[in-house]
Amino acid sequence: MSRYCSALSNRDGGGRAVARHIQSLERAAAMLRLLAGGERRLGLSEVASSLGLAKGTAHGILRTLQAEGFVEQDAASGRYQLGAELLRLGNSYLDVHELRARALVWTDDLARSSGESAYLGVLHQRGVLVIHHVFRPDDSRQVLEVGAMQPLHSAALGKVLSAYDPVAHNEVLENDRETFTPRTVTDAVDFEAVLDLTRARGWAADVEETWVGVASIAAPIHDRRRMPVGAVGITGAVERVCEGGELRPDLVAAVRDCARAVSRDLGAGRF
């Protein structure tokens, strides 16, 4: 770290040094793409000529990637190929895609049976990343929200993750909890009580805590290790999702059934 920091400060203002580091990252990324696209191992000369680099430059980048496990060199031929570390780093990405693939049919069914938009979310940094969104099955104008972030402390998806995932729980307690509406719970003690209730009943609610006029219901998804890997839920207008001042029991049941079905498909067994 100290060498990196000193390299950035070698130039007045750091401009040229920063540019050099960015260029090396771009070259390393191009090298990984080159190795990923080939059907065989590539030698140093092939890598250098394909990318228009001097052999010395290409060799230095390859050695760095090799030291980090991103590239492996065949001892007999001296040729290079992608390393196992890339697979390890990609596991979380692959897990997200497996979750989405397993949930596609079930979230479609959830949107159809509930008449509301269905969402699939996972923990990402300090919030919930929406990785799948099924539109409400009507003719209304809607915007695809895949890639959108929802808060951990107020959104139903976020409450579920905060209740069941220790990492999410730490994130939400260690950071500020923004007030979105008069109903948003921000006090730490009160919020812990909300999480206790979520765990006790197996689902979470958001009734105008994140968006005025909007209500959500969400339930946790577990994998084969019984670990929480995401949450699924529905979102709609309060007058549709609630009845007599309470969340509709049939919608709560539909969300929980969907979460159980996806969990079973991920190997979690019966909950």
Side-chain angles (χ1 to χ4, degrees), residues 182-233:
R183 291 176 175 264
T184 307
V185 177
T186 58
D187 178 78
V189 175
D190 292 340
F191 184 69
E192 284 286 13
V194 170
L195 298 187
D196 288 341
L197 177 61
T198 298
R199 286 185 287 265
R201 62 189 184 184
W203 55 276
D206 165 11
V207 181
E208 297 190 286
E209 294 178 48
T210 309
W211 304 280
V212 174
V214 176
S216 301
I217 304 166
I221 296 172
H222 297 81
D223 66 5
R224 61 184 62 84
R225 299 163 297 174
R226 297 296 182 97
M227 298 296 290
V229 293
V232 65

Side-chain angles (χ1 to χ4, degrees), residues 104-199:
L104 286 176
V105 173
W106 298 112
T107 49
D108 281 349
D109 287 346
L110 176 61
R112 188 180 307 110
S113 64
S114 68
E116 303 295 345
S117 299
Y119 294 85
L120 185 68
V122 297
L123 176 65
H124 180 67
Q125 296 176 351
R126 297 176 181 177
V128 182
L129 175 67
V130 176
I131 63 170
H132 186 53
H133 172 203
V134 184
F135 283 165
R136 185 171 63 254
D138 59 22
D139 296 327
S140 63
R141 184 179 180 84
Q142 300 174 62
V143 177
L144 187 66
E145 295 184 43
V146 172
M149 294 290 291
Q150 295 187 8
L152 287 171
H153 68 287
S154 61
L157 293 174
K159 290 179 188 178
V160 164
L161 293 176
S162 298
Y164 288 91
D165 187 332
V167 176
H169 185 259
N170 289 338
E171 287 286 350
V172 76
L173 289 182
E174 291 174 2
N175 293 283
D176 293 336
R177 292 170 293 280
E178 183 178 350
T179 299
F180 298 110
T181 77
R183 291 176 175 264
T184 307
V185 177
T186 58
D187 178 78
V189 175
D190 292 340
F191 184 69
E192 284 286 13
V194 170
L195 298 187
D196 288 341
L197 177 61
T198 298
R199 286 185 287 265

Side-chain angles (χ1 to χ4, degrees), residues 218-255:
I221 296 172
H222 297 81
D223 66 5
R224 61 184 62 84
R225 299 163 297 174
R226 297 296 182 97
M227 298 296 290
V229 293
V232 65
I234 60 169
T235 297
V238 171
E239 58 267 23
R240 294 195 307 267
V241 178
C242 296
E243 194 172 72
E246 300 290 336
L247 291 161
R248 287 169 48 190
D250 61 315
L251 295 184
V252 172
V255 170

Side-chain angles (χ1 to χ4, degrees), residues 50-63:
S50 296
L51 299 178
L53 300 175
K55 282 187 179 181
T57 301
H59 185 251
I61 296 173
L62 284 167
R63 289 295 297 273

